[in-house]
């Protein structure tokens, strides 16, 4: 499985960060989470963004939620919890509304991972080093979009506390990049 999810922006290290963040955020908010649900959801939420599980025309969150039962069966996972895993996976993206504590904290962990220095690294990681798409200049609107859309969609108290610092990091990066590239003309 790990070899199928190696792409940096949505890959294994992103799943590790989401799993870690959700625990920190929930602990700060004094919320108990079902670790079985969060572990499975954190590690499988982006799997359908990879060729092995993609389905053309279907959002990766919806596709991952649709096939997660098949992935988890026969693994020893308590299958009575698979609907909660599906819910967390289906609503992990910042533009969706999570239902339930596990979904909320995965949602916020995922949103925070699109901001700050790690958000910059994830988006820059999309650039095709061989000159294909996206190019460096083409990913800048993605960063600006994250800056505009993600902060207001972080919903937990602990997550909201982290938004200003991460937003400031992303703003600072974009400002510095514009200064060093003649307002992106030399990028």
């Amino acid at each position: 499985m790990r070899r199928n999810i190696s792409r940096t922006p949505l890959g294994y290290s992103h799943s590790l960060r989401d799993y870690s963040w959700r625990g920190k955020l929930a602990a700060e908010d004094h919320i108990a989470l079902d670790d079985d649900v969060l572990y499975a959801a954190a590690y499988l939420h982006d799997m359908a963004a990879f060729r092995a599980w993609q389905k053309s025309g279907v959002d990766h969150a919806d596709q991952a939620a649709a096939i997660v039962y098949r992935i988890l069966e026969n693994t020893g996972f308590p299958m009575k919890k698979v609907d909660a895993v599906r819910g967390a996976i289906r609503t992990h993206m910042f533009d969706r509304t999570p239902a339930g504590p596990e979904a909320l904290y995965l949602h916020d962990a995922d949103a925070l991972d699109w901001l700050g220095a790690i958000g910059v690294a994830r988006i820059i990681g999309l650039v095709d080093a061989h000159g294909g798409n996206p190019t460096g200049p083409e990913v800048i609107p993605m960063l600006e979009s994250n800056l505009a859309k993600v902060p207001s969609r972080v919903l937990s108290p602990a997550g909201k506390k982290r938004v200003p610092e991460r937003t400031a990091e992303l703003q600072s990066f974009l400002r510095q990049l514009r200064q060093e590239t003649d307002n992106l003309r030399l990028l």
Side-chain angles (χ1 to χ4, degrees), residues 103-149:
L104 171 66
Y105 286 93
L106 178 62
H107 171 273
D108 279 9
D110 196 73
L112 289 170
D113 213 47
W114 284 115
L115 299 172
I118 194 64
V120 171
R122 290 180 73 199
I123 295 293
I124 298 296
L126 294 171
V127 173
D128 186 333
H130 302 289
N133 292 325
T135 64
E138 290 171 342
V139 298
I140 302 309
M142 294 177 192
L143 290 167
E144 293 170 333
S145 178
N146 285 349
L147 188 58
K149 295 177 182 177

